[in-house]
Amino acid sequence: MFADRAKIYIRSGKGGDGHASFRRELYVPNGGPDGGDGGRGGDVIFEVDKGLNTLADFRHKRKFTAQDGEPGGKRRCHGKDAKDIVLNVPEGTIIREAETNKIIADMSGDNTRQIVLKGGKGGLGNMHFATATMQVPKYAQPGKPAQELWVNLELKVIADVGLVGFPNVGKSTFLSRVTNAQPKIANYHFTTLTPNLGVVDLEGAKGFVIADIPGLIEGASEGVGLGHEFLRHVERTKLMIHVVDAAGTEGRDPVDDIYKINAELKAYNEEIASRPQVIAANKIDLIYSEDEDPIERLRSEFEPQGIKVFPISGVTGEGLSDLLYYVSSELQNMDEKPIVFEQEYFPEEELIHIDLPYTVEIIDDMYVVEGPKIEKMLGYTNLDSEKGFAFFQKFLKEAGILEKLEEAGIQEGDTVKMYGLQFEYYR
């Protein structure tokens, strides 16, 4: 089954804790500190796999966690670094932060491998904290915490040209005729339920990749029908081929169809709607009308707007060569670089500097302070050591928590409670 979207949870590995220990050897009763450092936590890495073309692998498994680093050991033993976790995705996958929908990475072009979440650094063992005045440090640094995110994966196919048009106008037949693609073809609306990619090879000219975007209908940009599910796949295309049923075999008006498709593209993304377009007036082998030439009608309507019209037959092959060589020529005049979306969300910065809320309440004559950042800092800091406690006090001051307590009326000797821990307040 084709899958072009998925929502998954990713978590890097926590750094291993540093170790606090001392040399205990024969004839060395008071040996110095020899606690080793913790190992690095595993990274979460996304990598392009050219053999994949859907996100189906993420439909059944949604949580991906890297390993934690090993804690340090005695005798200066360094904890083992954890293995990274590598998630393979098809080329063209965009990774977005789920809450803001900002882009973390676009796995296309030169970007074939990206570290999205870094594992935590290992904590330092107590051998690093010995000084002239503190020769027996009992403090070892905890490992840096893991990072975690919910991300949306979104596949936008890599193609130079997008085929758009209403259902049943002959797009699949056209694609099968001009490329190596083998789409299913039948006389049903929405026969094509997946974007089909094909490569056009031209003698004496540069080939290109073409994508058949499943049939759009009026209201697709607002979620009507299935077309809106696939509009994202035209976002990377540099040029659009509008396929219309010039013969009107189902009673449709080809001029009206083109205006409706353009309206849907504009409603979805104005920039996409402004990209170069070509009209493929299909099914000319079925034109029998003697009253009005539908090809001339299309030309008189759209060529003054700068949109070329090519009469073609996907069944007989008539007119296809002229259309394809024209498209190849137009692409040569455009930027050859693929359309790559810029990064908007930087997990490292966002997760470290995020301004998490906290509350200060007076409950049973105690000042209760709670909040996610405080909870994380308590897990990160060794309060049993003098150094760790001083570090935590500095955090409380810089975060404005001490100021909030004073505004709430706290006095020296009052009790402060934070997640089960209680302290006496002193200035």
Side-chain angles (χ1 to χ4, degrees):
M1 181 184 173
F2 181 78
D4 60 359
R5 283 185 299 174
K7 184 177 181 179
I8 62 170
Y9 166 85
I10 54 175
R11 176 189 173 276
S12 63
K14 174 189 175 296
D17 294 337
H19 190 73
S21 60
F22 298 90
R23 289 174 58 197
R24 290 291 180 266
E25 300 167 25
L26 197 60
Y27 309 119
V28 187
N30 296 310
D34 70 350
D37 301 342
R40 178 187 63 83
D43 298 335
V44 178
I45 301 170
F46 282 81
E47 191 168 79
V48 170
D49 183 339
K50 299 274 188 179
L52 295 175
N53 57 14
T54 82
L55 296 169
D57 291 348
F58 300 98
R59 284 291 176 94
H60 306 295
K61 185 181 177 185
R62 294 181 181 271
K63 293 194 174 184
F64 299 88
T65 305
Q67 294 178 351
D68 295 338
E70 274 191 0
K74 297 178 180 179
R75 300 180 182 176
R76 302 185 174 228
C77 285
H78 194 293
K80 188 177 177 182
D81 289 343
K83 284 185 178 179
D84 301 327
I85 184 170
V86 179
L87 305 180
N88 292 317
V89 294
E91 188 176 15
T93 299
I94 289 183
I95 304 159
R96 297 178 183 270
E97 195 275 324
E99 193 172 329
T100 62
N101 213 35
K102 287 182 178 178
I103 295 171
I104 299 172
D106 183 352
M107 306 304 295
S108 57
D110 296 330
N111 189 30
T112 58
R113 182 181 171 92
Q114 181 162 334
I115 298 171
V116 171
L117 292 182
K118 287 187 177 178
K121 288 182 181 178
L124 299 175
N126 70 333
M127 63 180 180
H128 293 277
F129 299 101
T131 65
T133 55
M134 186 188 290
Q135 296 181 5
V136 284
K138 296 177 182 177
Y139 170 75
Q141 189 182 43
K144 289 286 179 73
Q147 296 181 343
E148 57 185 356
L149 272 182
W150 277 95
V151 296
N152 292 325
L153 305 182
E154 187 179 80
L155 177 59
K156 297 181 194 289
V157 296
I158 307 287
D160 303 303
V161 176
L163 275 186
V164 294
F166 275 79
N168 225 26
V169 293
K171 292 192 282 93
S172 295
T173 304
F174 173 87
L175 189 72
S176 66
R177 185 93 192 195
V178 303
T179 74
N180 55 359
Q182 296 179 326
K184 293 179 181 178
I185 300 167
N187 190 28
Y188 298 108
H189 290 263
F190 292 115
T191 299
T192 306
L193 296 180
T194 68
N196 287 303
L197 288 178
V199 179
V200 176
D201 292 316
L202 294 172
E203 192 175 338
K206 193 168 182 181
F208 52 89
V209 179
I210 194 166
D212 171 15
I213 309 302
L216 302 180
I217 62 172
E218 204 169 359
S221 59
E222 297 167 6
V224 177
L226 295 176
H228 74 290
E229 291 289 332
F230 303 103
L231 276 165
R232 70 180 65 87
H233 295 296
V234 299
E235 290 190 26
R236 294 190 197 274
T237 57
K238 300 170 186 173
L239 181 147
M240 238 81 71
I241 297 177
H242 282 256
V243 183
V244 291
D245 179 357
T249 56
E250 294 195 346
R252 304 193 62 86
D253 179 356
V255 171
D256 187 48
D257 279 0
I258 290 169
Y259 280 122
K260 283 178 178 173
I261 292 290
N262 276 337
E264 292 307 320
L265 289 172
K266 190 172 183 180
Y268 180 72
N269 186 319
E270 285 200 32
E271 193 271 325
I272 292 172
S274 68
R275 290 178 195 167
Q277 300 179 8
V278 178
I279 293 170
N282 194 22
K283 303 189 182 182
I284 58 171
D285 53 308
L286 299 178
I287 296 176
Y288 301 113
S289 172
E290 297 177 2
D291 303 329
E292 182 184 23
D293 183 353
I295 303 301
E296 284 308 313
R297 181 168 169 252
L298 283 164
R299 280 179 171 152
S300 62
E301 182 71 30
F302 293 105
E303 291 200 341
Q305 301 177 34
I307 303 173
K308 289 272 285 181
V309 176
F310 289 86
I312 67 160
S313 169
V315 173
T316 68
E318 186 180 349
L320 292 179
S321 180
D322 290 345
L323 170 62
L324 296 177
Y325 277 97
Y326 173 79
V327 169
S328 176
S329 172
E330 288 294 293
L331 288 172
Q332 297 314 300
N333 299 325
M334 298 177 190
D335 188 357
E336 288 190 13
K337 289 183 180 178
I339 295 172
V340 178
F341 297 89
E342 294 294 322
Q343 185 171 3
E344 303 167 330
Y345 186 97
F346 299 85
E348 197 79 0
E349 294 177 18
E350 298 277 352
L351 294 173
I352 290 174
H353 301 298
I354 189 167
D355 187 21
L356 295 170
Y358 60 86
T359 59
V360 175
E361 296 179 287
I362 302 173
I363 301 173
D364 297 332
D365 295 328
M366 285 192 291
Y367 290 80
V368 179
V369 184
E370 291 185 342
K373 195 162 189 175
I374 295 160
E375 191 173 14
K376 279 191 174 183
M377 288 300 294
L378 283 170
Y380 177 85
T381 312
N382 182 355
L383 296 177
D384 292 335
S385 78
E386 193 177 323
K387 202 166 188 175
F389 196 78
F391 173 76
F392 187 66
Q393 281 184 310
K394 185 182 176 186
F395 157 72
L396 294 176
K397 184 177 181 181
E398 289 180 353
I401 294 169
L402 295 182
E403 190 179 336
K404 282 280 184 189
L405 286 167
E406 288 179 3
E407 285 177 9
I410 197 166
Q411 300 295 321
E412 284 202 12
D414 287 347
T415 303
V416 179
K417 183 178 180 182
M418 299 181 186
Y419 292 96
L421 296 170
Q422 293 185 18
F423 313 93
E424 281 192 21
Y425 178 78
Y426 291 101
R427 282 194 176 86

